Amino acid sequence: MSTILNLAKRRRTIRSFRHDEIDISDVYYALRVAREAPSGANKQPWRFIIVRDQSLKKRIREYCEEVEKEFHSRAPEWLRDWFREMGITWRKPFLENAPILLLVFSDGTAPYNVQSTWLAIGYILLALEERGLATVTYTPSKVRWFNELFKIDKRYVLQTILPIGRAACDICSKQPRLPLDNLILGVY
Amino acid sequence: MSTILNLAKRRRTIRSFRHDEIDISDVYYALRVAREAPSGANKQPWRFIIVRDQSLKKRIREYCEEVEKEFHSRAPEWLRDWFREMGITWRKPFLENAPILLLVFSDGTAPYNVQSTWLAIGYILLALEERGLATVTYTPSKVRWFNELFKIDKRYVLQTILPIGRAACDICSKQPRLPLDNLILGVY
């Protein structure tokens, strides 16, 4: 059985989405998967906000693009080169065009909350892929604004925004991966 | 198709392992899965060390138990209560008894390296579950010693040790999960 490997290999990071509606039950499916992840002291520090509202998505896009402009202006040279190569700019149309944004927060008071939440994000990516949905883990470099926008306790820290939808490309390229040998520092 | 949900639900955190040998190709399978994960600027910051050598496992156990004694003595009250409830002490026999230890490091120089590596650890847990292997994400509170032990560059930071084997319990209990409603802070 190699279902996980097939899903992991098939999955691509997608930054351009078709406008088609998606079935929200598929997003809830991914959350039911995330809920099963292990966490530090079983604190289950992951929290979610689902955004379908078009005007709210637009506000989020506008805020993130402001933050991105500033981030791109001070990014290190190697990262700017990578952005250029990938065609990544400060523009984030996917925040407005993806049918659903899934915002993932972690409870900053829980032990290993960042680690646990990102482990659960790994679960979410595979669950979305299984349901034929595409996404990208997009994290703006400033996140406090989201607590004000949604009026949520400051203990919750935005970890990532997952724009979710169907990939706009027919054949989307996958970034190359390092050979396994390069990843293994030793076998004893 | 709900393979991912079934695997995620079936998976339990295991701290006690049977002595049976396991097929190392199943561990490589999990690494091939991890290799497919997305990462900040595609830096693929995850690095791995596989330990089967019994004397090396013993040294790792001894070091971790020293660190744990100190950690348990200064842990906050709520965490001590949780340890008591779970029967968790400073003793870490699984570090010696599991047939394989998979040490996961991240390259601390890569952007979002902790987040990316834990996302990949999520992939690994599901891949191991698919192959019928059990584990626990165990992270000692001090990790620099591992760089000396394995003579690896200090850019690599131990994120977790995954002891891998067959679960020693026939029916292992799963810690309760919060209802999905408690995890969703808003739907817009």
Side-chain angles (χ1 to χ4, degrees):
Chain A
M1 229 194 8
S2 301
T3 306
I4 301 289
L5 183 58
N6 291 338
L7 287 172
K9 283 176 91 84
R10 194 177 78 187
R11 185 187 175 278
R12 273 119 180 77
T13 288
I14 298 297
R15 295 183 177 81
S16 180
F17 298 89
R18 279 156 46 186
H19 288 283
D20 324 17
E21 280 301 302
I22 62 170
D23 191 342
I24 191 140
S25 72
D26 288 333
V27 176
Y28 282 100
Y29 172 75
L31 299 187
R32 279 156 57 214
V33 170
R35 180 174 167 266
E36 300 292 332
S39 57
N42 194 32
K43 285 287 186 185
Q44 307 165 63
W46 36 75
R47 294 293 182 276
F48 307 101
I49 290 179
I50 296 170
V51 178
R52 287 190 287 186
D53 180 81
Q54 203 56 40
S55 65
L56 199 48
K57 285 195 282 175
K58 188 165 185 286
R59 281 181 72 188
I60 292 171
R61 174 186 179 171
E62 284 166 357
Y63 175 76
C64 289
E65 290 189 336
E66 282 311 306
V67 172
E68 288 291 332
K69 277 180 201 164
E70 201 254 325
F71 178 72
H72 276 250
S73 73
R74 63 180 166 79
E77 197 52 36
W78 72 263
L79 188 54
R80 285 202 224 188
D81 289 346
W82 186 78
F83 284 148
R84 244 188 311 271
E85 190 192 321
M86 296 288 293
I88 294 174
T89 71
W90 57 266
R91 290 187 178 83
K92 302 296 165 194
F94 54 71
L95 294 174
E96 195 173 344
N97 299 341
I100 290 182
L101 302 184
L102 175 64
L103 282 70
V104 184
F105 296 81
S106 72
D107 180 344
T109 68
Y112 293 104
N113 68 87
V114 172
Q115 291 85 343
S116 303
T117 300
W118 282 87
L119 190 159
I121 291 168
Y123 275 39
I124 290 173
L125 296 194
L126 291 174
L128 292 174
E129 182 63 33
E130 185 182 29
R131 293 294 170 109
L133 293 176
T135 191
V136 53
T137 56
Y138 168 70
T139 307
S141 58
K142 291 181 186 172
V143 295
R144 277 293 165 219
W145 177 81
F146 292 89
N147 294 63
E148 294 166 33
L149 179 67
F150 293 107
K151 298 181 178 42
I152 56 171
D153 195 293
K154 67 178 191 300
R155 73 195 292 168
Y156 300 118
V157 182
L158 182 72
Q159 294 298 323
T160 201
I161 301 175
L162 298 173
I164 300 174
R166 308 225 171 258
C169 44
D170 287 332
I171 302 169
C172 311
S173 66
K174 181 150 183 157
Q175 286 301 297
R177 292 299 190 269
L178 295 168
L180 199 53
D181 281 353
N182 295 26
L183 304 178
I184 298 175
L185 300 175
V187 179
Y188 297 88
Chain B
M1 231 195 3
S2 302
T3 306
I4 300 289
L5 183 59
N6 291 338
L7 287 172
K9 284 176 90 84
R10 193 178 78 186
R11 185 187 175 279
R12 273 117 180 79
T13 288
I14 298 297
R15 294 183 178 81
S16 180
F17 298 90
R18 278 155 48 185
H19 288 285
D20 324 16
E21 280 301 303
I22 61 170
D23 191 343
I24 190 137
S25 71
D26 288 333
V27 176
Y28 282 101
Y29 172 76
L31 299 187
R32 279 156 57 213
V33 170
R35 181 173 166 267
E36 299 294 333
S39 57
N42 193 33
K43 284 288 185 185
Q44 307 164 62
W46 35 75
R47 293 293 182 278
F48 307 101
I49 290 179
I50 296 170
V51 178
R52 288 191 285 187
D53 179 82
Q54 204 54 41
S55 65
L56 198 48
K57 284 194 282 176
K58 188 165 186 285
R59 281 180 72 188
I60 291 172
R61 174 187 179 172
E62 284 166 358
Y63 175 76
C64 289
E65 290 189 336
E66 281 312 306
V67 171
E68 288 292 333
K69 277 181 201 166
E70 201 254 325
F71 178 72
H72 276 251
S73 72
R74 63 180 166 77
E77 198 52 38
W78 72 264
L79 188 55
R80 285 199 224 190
D81 289 345
W82 186 76
F83 284 148
R84 244 188 311 272
E85 189 192 322
M86 296 288 294
I88 294 173
T89 71
W90 57 266
R91 290 187 179 82
K92 301 297 164 194
F94 54 71
L95 294 174
E96 196 174 343
N97 299 341
I100 290 181
L101 302 183
L102 175 64
L103 283 71
V104 184
F105 296 81
S106 72
D107 180 345
T109 67
Y112 292 103
N113 68 88
V114 171
Q115 290 86 341
S116 303
T117 300
W118 282 87
L119 190 160
I121 292 169
Y123 275 39
I124 291 173
L125 296 194
L126 291 173
L128 292 174
E129 182 63 33
E130 185 182 28
R131 293 294 170 108
L133 292 176
T135 192
V136 52
T137 55
Y138 167 71
T139 308
S141 57
K142 291 180 187 173
V143 295
R144 277 296 165 218
W145 177 81
F146 292 89
N147 294 64
E148 293 166 33
L149 179 66
F150 293 108
K151 299 182 176 41
I152 56 171
D153 194 293
K154 65 178 191 300
R155 75 195 291 167
Y156 299 118
V157 181
L158 182 72
Q159 294 297 324
T160 200
I161 301 175
L162 298 173
I164 300 174
R166 308 225 171 259
C169 45
D170 287 333
I171 303 169
C172 310
S173 67
K174 179 149 184 159
Q175 286 301 296
R177 293 297 191 270
L178 296 168
L180 200 53
D181 281 352
N182 295 27
L183 304 178
I184 298 176
L185 300 176
V187 180
Y188 298 88

